[in-house]
């Protein structure tokens, strides 16, 4: 049974699953399919109409938890278990896997693919056309660009491999291809082809080394993160983290010998 | 005839034109003039009172399309055809020309001038006092500073010439004067007087060359943008783009010989 | 007497002081204590429930002025006289002193301490665990990181001394300790122990000199700011600014001789 609080405005055409909870002041447009067990925060807009005429519905997977002031467009397909902070925007045409977490003020510009179990922090900006693998981290203020000659009609979006980590304030230039398990350090600029498992630093995007040599000295904790951080994910993800991690370790080692 | 949806709170003193459409949950204060054919998104605040006692009304030009969660103060004057993303703020004293487009989470701090046909992307921040010409681009995370000795009572705002392009994450230092048609590359820092038509790169703000030599190799598309991108503007702007573009080309060429 | 405007949703369990003014569309949860003379802007969420089960109430000190679209969690304690811009988020466990000013789109991640009379501009991001002194300035886009090996379970938050100034787009790396009265220049990256009263510049975080030698040439205005900017604070803060400023001047001078 759905629970609808004060002052909601819900189009009767919207298809709404069981046990969906709406906060106060939620606007739900008609071209929407909300699966079971979702929670929709106060002051949110669900199914914002796109300027495209033929838009598919917004499909919001089961168990989503949207915090207040969210805006989700019609025409996106979002896997189960998404959890967002406040004031997020997801535009039309975003194909999103399972269990995304999205920080406050994040901006997913749409027409993009985001894999399973990705994590994005505050003010993350995913430009149109980006392709993001599984278990990818985008920390605060990271920007994924897409126009190689701004402003132009050209589009050369970013591709990010599984388990890559993009640190605070990193910029991914148009056309950047980030290898699996790579880390773009905070404030770094990444261009072109980035090999798997490397660390990129600085405004010139230099290869500073391999992720597997990165260690926190005091605690002796070492990268890659899948060795010490799998417990931060839902239990059913952990076997996949181990298998994918081993695969990426091998890929990174092979790439290192050819550098 | 205006269309008012659920749960709107509209001060009867507000002057509202014909064919204005309000979303749900729109608050309109009294000191407001909304011209014909505007669309106001859900959860927006129109005419937010300023702390200044003698504020002029907010004048919102015809055909504006404000998406949800916008905040517009009284005391600003906005030309026709503005279109915004979600969660934008425009404070008091902004004098804005025709056809501004403003990205999600943009922050116009007020007491500024913005010309016609400007384009700003997500998280653009226009500090108080800025003067921006026509056809200017501010990409995501660009910041226009104004305090040369922060914090202080001094103010030395940024001035940006027509058709300049400020790329992602560029910083314009207090007092920067950006010449017409110049491009500040992503992540660059611009200080002082920037000649027309140059490209500025890096944290030191070096002149890397002339915009007219910038080319996208695969497509052979060349800058300046007014040659290949005029069709992205409304038809009535195109003659003006051609004339202004030619004028700026000549100015940039003259400046180049004196560098 | 409280004034409640249209369409508010206020839990009767909330404790609300005298002369509190609510805008339209304000949601107040039950675990909240709002002191006298506060103003709560339109579309705000006050006392957002935390995922922690045993959360203390949100305590909002007297005279707060929250502008629209604010989100304040339960479990934070906010001193008197806070003033915010629009679209701010303050999560649970933030212990905040007197007279904080918070810019549009600021993001206080919680479990942090912020002293008295601090000033933060747009898109300031305070990571969990940060400890911030009195009279600290965070300008736009400053980020206080906390994870030294992202992503990990480690936490090494930033500590900022009294009267420090963090300029636009500066990044404070995990574990950075910013000395009292220091200035981190715009775009700079600060790591480790920063001595009191120094200026840090650039991506390498070099010590460029002492704050007391920073001067605005045209106006001959000199740093540190407590000499020329105390009048920007409430009158009752000024004796404290003078005393604290003198103390920090001495500390900076002593540190300079040992550099």
């Amino acid at each position: 049974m759905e629970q609808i609080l004060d002052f909601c405005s819900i189009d009767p055409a919207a298809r709404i699953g069981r046990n969906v909870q709406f906060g106060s002041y939620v606007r739900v447009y008609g071209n929407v399919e909300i699966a079971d067990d979702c929670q929709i925060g106060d002051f949110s807009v669900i199914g914002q109409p796109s300027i495209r005429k033929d838009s598919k519905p917004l499909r919001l997977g089961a168990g989503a938890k949207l915090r207040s002031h969210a805006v989700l467009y019609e025409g996106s397909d979002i896997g189960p278990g998404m959890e967002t902070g406040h004031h997020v925007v997801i535009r039309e045409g975003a194909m999103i896997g399972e269990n995304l977490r999205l920080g406050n003020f994040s901006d997913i510009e749409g027409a993009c693919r985001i894999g399973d179990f990705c994590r994005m922090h505050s003010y993350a900006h995913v430009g149109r056309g980006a392709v993001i693998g599984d278990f990818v981290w985008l920390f605060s203020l990271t920007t994924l660009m897409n126009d190689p000659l701004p402003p132009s009609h050209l589009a050369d979006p970013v591709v990010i491999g599984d388990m890559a980590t993009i640190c605070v304030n990193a910029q991914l230039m148009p056309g950047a291809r980030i290898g699996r398990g790579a880390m773009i350090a905070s404030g770094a600029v990444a261009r072109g082809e980035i090999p798997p498992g490397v660390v990129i630093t600085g405004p010139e995007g230099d290869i500073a080394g391999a992720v597997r040599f990165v260690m926190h000295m005091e605690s002796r904790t070492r990268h890659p993160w899948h060795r010490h951080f799998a417990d931060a994910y839902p239990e059913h993800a952990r076997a996949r983290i181990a298998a994918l991690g081993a695969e990426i370790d091998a890929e990174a080692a092979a790439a290192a010998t050819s550098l």
Side-chain angles (χ1 to χ4, degrees), chain A:
Chain A
M1 207 200 74
E2 71 199 64
Q3 178 198 355
I4 299 183
L5 284 181
D6 307 344
F7 309 120
C8 284
S9 171
I10 298 182
D11 189 312
R15 280 149 290 175
I16 297 173
R18 288 170 302 171
N19 190 32
V20 172
Q21 295 177 35
F22 294 91
S24 300
Y25 320 99
V26 173
R27 179 157 190 191
V28 179
Y29 287 86
N31 195 17
V32 158
E33 295 175 20
I34 301 178
D36 298 345
D37 303 313
C38 290
Q39 299 175 38
I40 314 293
D42 309 325
F43 306 113
S44 290
V45 178
I46 307 301
Q48 166 89 19
S50 165
I51 51 171
R52 306 186 176 194
K53 295 298 173 195
D54 60 341
S55 283
K56 295 179 179 168
L58 168 68
R59 289 199 182 87
L60 182 60
K65 184 168 185 176
L66 303 181
R67 291 195 178 76
S68 74
H69 304 89
V71 179
L72 272 58
Y73 276 66
E74 65 179 359
S76 282
D77 201 325
I78 298 172
M82 179 169 76
E83 189 170 331
T84 80
H86 305 271
H87 303 280
V88 305
V89 176
I90 302 178
R91 288 194 50 187
E92 64 272 23
M95 301 292 111
I96 296 175
E98 181 184 351
N99 200 246
L100 175 65
R101 291 201 187 173
L102 206 52
N104 300 327
F105 309 107
S106 286
D107 186 19
I108 310 293
E109 284 287 312
C112 60
R113 287 178 170 277
I114 298 173
D116 294 332
F117 297 102
C118 289
R119 305 286 181 252
M120 304 187 188
H121 279 205
S122 306
Y123 319 108
H125 177 85
V126 176
R128 290 181 72 78
V131 177
I132 298 176
D134 299 330
F135 297 99
V136 167
W137 284 77
L138 301 185
F139 285 91
S140 300
L141 290 172
T142 52
T143 302
L144 279 57
M145 305 182 212
N146 56 17
D147 183 348
L149 195 76
S152 78
H153 295 296
L154 304 166
D156 195 3
V158 166
V159 178
I160 305 181
D162 304 325
M163 286 194 170
T165 302
I166 318 298
C167 296
V168 171
N169 210 14
Q171 298 169 44
L172 306 188
M173 299 297 284
R177 264 85 180 134
I178 311 299
R180 300 207 296 175
M183 169 179 274
I184 313 301
S186 65
V189 177
R191 298 174 179 78
E193 199 77 36
I194 305 297
V198 301
V199 181
I200 298 293
T201 59
E204 297 304 319
D206 303 309
I207 296 183
V211 165
R212 71 180 185 282
F213 296 133
V214 176
M215 186 171 68
H216 181 249
M217 302 303 281
E218 289 90 331
S219 64
R220 318 295 290 181
T221 311
R222 298 183 62 149
H223 266 322
W225 64 257
H226 59 82
R227 294 192 204 287
H228 60 265
F229 201 60
D231 63 346
Y233 291 83
E235 193 147 349
H236 71 276
R238 295 181 197 169
R240 193 163 150 202
I241 290 174
L244 184 59
E247 194 182 310
I248 292 175
D249 285 353
E251 187 180 339
T257 61
S258 71
L259 278 181

